[in-house]
Structure formats: C-alpha cells, structure tokens
Amino acid sequence: MASPAARFEAMLSNIMLTDKERTKAIDTHTYMRDQLERRRHWIKETFLTGSYKRETAIRPLNDVDFFCVVDPDWARGKTPAHIQREVQRVLQEIYPRTTVDRQKHSLGVDFRSQTTNYDVIPAVPTRGYYQIVHRESGDGEFILSNPDAVEREKVAANSQGGPGGRMLQMIRLTKHWNTKNRKRVKNFHLELLCYKAAALLASCSNNREACCRLFQFLSFEVVKDCFVPGKCDIQTFV
C-alpha cells in the first residue's frame, strides 16, 4: 500500500490537466483565434488569459479564456453591447452550428460535444489597460482591466513559493477542494490569496505541510477584501 505522502503527491498529479485535454484546448483555441484575426480587419490580436494561461486550471478543464483586441479607432463611438454583438457575429460565422452566448464580460462558445467552453472577451486597448464589457442589461458599460498584471503576480509568487512549482500545485489543490465544496468562494479569489502566501509555502519542508499551513492562512484571509491586480474600478476587490 502506498504511503500517505505518496498518495498525497498522486492526488496533486491527478488534478492536473491531461495531455489529451491540453492538446484539444490548444487545437481549438488556436483555430478560433486564427479565424477571428483573419475574418475582420478591426480585430487586431488575441491572447490567452485566465487560469488556463496561468497553468492553475484543474481537471476537468471547464473553460479557456482569451482577449479579442479590437481596433480602438473602429470601436470609437460604439457601445459595449454593439462591440460584443459584432464579435459574436464573427464567432457565429466560424461556428454556425454552435451556441455563442452573450455573457456579462465575454462571449461563451459552448461546444456540446466538449466539456470545455471558450470565453472570448472583447477588449479595447487604452492607456496601458483594456476596456472590457460589463453588461448587466442594455448597452452595458466599459470597465478597465490589465490581465498582464495578474500574470506578473503569478510569476513572482511562483518563483518565491517553494521548490518544484509548489505554488501552482497548492493553487490547483485549493481549487479542487473548493470545487468539491460547491465553490463557496470564487476560485480566482483563492488564487490571489495563495499568491500572498508565497513566503509561507517556501518555508515548508514538504507539500503536505504546505497544504496544512496554506489552509490555516486562507481561513483567516478569505473574509478580508482582496485586491485584484490590474483592476481600477468596480472590480478592484473580490
């Protein structure tokens, strides 16, 4: 029988994305992004964001997020809802038999044959940030976001969070626990809190100790406001 330590390490491995999931996601988002950039001159670039990009996603892979950056001159004078509808129209050209839903910030491409959805976030570059759609109803509004800031926080935390990519392992572990407990906390919130625990994780002698000390840390921190890097308006805290 395997030791408790071995079983714990096996569990950390089992919640990581499989090679098959990675390959399918790469094939799908690469094709989708290429088609978006080819079909409209005003779509300037696309880039990955979210937990998939940050390597903190867990099995099963629920969604892949990417920004769809539009020409600010083309976007000038257009409402958030109008820009969202225009990108939705392109996606429906690419996938005429697939559901493309308008969501609060993104367009959700739902492939019924896959467990993974693809969230396309229309974005207008402005002064070092991106304007993204925030739509509760009607035309919605723009809010400012900078996903590069979150990526920088992740890189810094991972470099300080112990050997062997311990930080990323612990983030995936907390998300797994949260998912098993009906997601009482946003996974993104937990990930940001884990960044703050980098020095704590580095001081641990093994992953089991890191897990215990991290959950003690989270039990105190989760009730506090948590600053979101790169946000500067209504979503500054989660």
Side-chain angles (χ1 to χ4, degrees):
M1 179 180 294
S3 68
R7 292 200 298 272
F8 184 80
E9 293 299 324
M11 185 268 293
L12 290 178
S13 178
N14 288 339
I15 63 178
M16 294 178 65
L17 302 183
T18 64
D19 289 342
K20 182 178 180 180
E21 284 178 306
R22 289 193 190 93
T23 299
K24 183 62 177 177
I26 290 170
D27 289 346
T28 303
H29 79 68
T30 299
Y31 175 80
M32 191 184 304
R33 293 166 58 199
D34 179 68
Q35 287 295 309
L36 282 167
E37 293 173 16
R38 286 173 180 268
R39 288 174 182 247
R40 294 294 190 277
H41 69 88
W42 43 265
I43 295 179
K44 293 304 182 182
E45 65 170 329
T46 60
F47 61 87
L48 291 169
T49 186
S51 61
Y52 173 79
K53 165 71 181 303
R54 296 190 300 272
E55 301 178 275
T56 60
I58 60 172
R59 296 175 59 190
L61 179 59
N62 291 323
D63 55 60
V64 172
D65 306 322
F66 65 85
F67 271 40
C68 177
V69 181
V70 304
D71 186 337
D73 290 331
W74 173 85
R76 188 172 294 114
K78 295 179 173 64
T79 66
H82 181 94
I83 292 171
Q84 196 179 46
R85 283 194 299 269
E86 288 299 313
V87 178
Q88 180 186 35
R89 185 172 291 114
V90 186
L91 288 166
Q92 289 177 327
E93 289 177 12
I94 301 168
Y95 302 106
R97 298 183 180 180
T98 299
T99 301
V100 180
D101 291 322
R102 293 172 65 202
Q103 301 172 150
K104 184 183 291 185
H105 304 301
S106 64
L107 295 156
V109 183
D110 183 4
F111 298 104
R112 303 297 184 184
S113 59
Q114 299 184 30
T115 58
T116 305
N117 294 329
Y118 292 79
D119 290 335
V120 182
I121 305 165
V124 184
T126 177
R127 302 186 305 277
Y129 284 83
Y130 293 94
Q131 291 182 316
I132 64 172
V133 175
H134 178 77
R135 192 178 66 85
E136 297 284 0
S137 62
D139 286 338
E141 61 182 331
F142 286 117
I143 62 174
L144 297 180
S145 178
N146 183 358
D148 290 340
V150 180
E151 178 66 18
R152 289 193 295 270
E153 289 282 329
K154 188 246 3 191
V155 171
N158 194 42
S159 68
Q160 301 165 12
R166 177 178 291 163
M167 170 61 69
L168 299 185
Q169 290 179 310
M170 291 301 108
I171 291 172
R172 289 190 289 263
L173 177 63
T174 58
K175 289 184 176 183
H176 176 70
W177 167 84
N178 194 38
T179 300
K180 291 294 185 181
N181 287 275
R182 296 183 293 178
K183 289 190 177 180
R184 298 178 186 274
V185 184
K186 291 181 179 180
N187 276 341
F188 184 49
H189 186 181
L190 289 176
E191 181 167 340
L192 294 176
L193 292 178
C194 287
Y195 295 167
K196 295 171 63 177
L200 174 69
L201 296 179
S203 69
C204 298
S205 59
N206 56 59
N207 282 338
R208 285 187 297 157
E209 180 187 353
C211 173
C212 293
R213 296 188 65 183
L214 176 61
F215 273 86
Q216 288 176 335
F217 173 85
L218 293 175
S219 69
F220 290 103
E221 293 294 321
V222 75
V223 295
K224 302 176 183 178
D225 283 339
C226 181
F227 178 73
V228 180
K231 299 284 187 181
C232 57
D233 39 35
I234 64 170
Q235 288 193 322
T236 299
F237 296 95
V238 294

